[in-house]
Amino acid sequence: QVQLVESGGGSVQTGGSLRLSCTVSGYTYNIYCLGWFRQAPGTEREGVAVIDSDGSTIYADSVKGRFTISQDNTKSSLYLQMDRLKPEDTAMYYCVANGVRCARGIKWDSRLKYDYWGQGSQVTVSS
């Protein structure tokens, strides 16, 4: 089993920044893809960004150039630096993990790909 716990959400004005963190613990030796999803009220859960065990990353078009995904050297922490935030970034953000490489198998931005989910962290951007 793998446990994911998010932190760092909050409220910010348009143009501001927030940094989400995710603590990854448990049987992580076979985890190859970590990432972030988000879900706004009344919408489908959508992929934001993922990072593979080889360090490669994939971003949704809506956040490219504004968000940066990273992990620490021990791979026990995952981060999402969010800059130039917009009201449409308002959502619950979820940390996800999977035992298949990000670019293999089910498409990276499908929620079906991920076996492990955190409980979520709320991000609210006001105009």
Side-chain angles (χ1 to χ4, degrees), residues 74-94:
T74 65
K75 298 183 181 180
S76 61
S77 291
L78 179 71
Y79 305 102
L80 185 68
Q81 177 66 41
M82 304 182 290
D83 298 318
R84 292 184 282 142
L85 282 160
K86 305 175 182 180
E88 51 263 44
D89 295 318
T90 295
M92 185 71 77
Y93 283 71
Y94 298 91

Side-chain angles (χ1 to χ4, degrees), residues 12-20 36 38 46-49 57-70 79-91 93 123-126:
V12 66
Q13 291 189 327
T14 298
S17 297
L18 282 173
R19 189 191 197 207
L20 295 178
W36 296 93
R38 67 185 181 185
E46 64 174 357
V48 175
T57 58
I58 307 174
Y59 292 91
D61 288 343
S62 59
V63 306
K64 278 181 184 175
R66 300 188 299 120
F67 290 12
T68 304
I69 189 171
S70 63
Y79 305 102
L80 185 68
Q81 177 66 41
M82 304 182 290
D83 298 318
R84 292 184 282 142
L85 282 160
K86 305 175 182 180
E88 51 263 44
D89 295 318
T90 295
Y93 283 71
V123 170
T124 303
V125 185
S126 58

Side-chain angles (χ1 to χ4, degrees), residues 90-108:
T90 295
M92 185 71 77
Y93 283 71
Y94 298 91
C95 180
V96 297
N98 187 49
V100 178
R101 303 291 289 269
C102 294
R104 295 183 183 175
I106 299 173
K107 198 167 179 291
W108 74 272

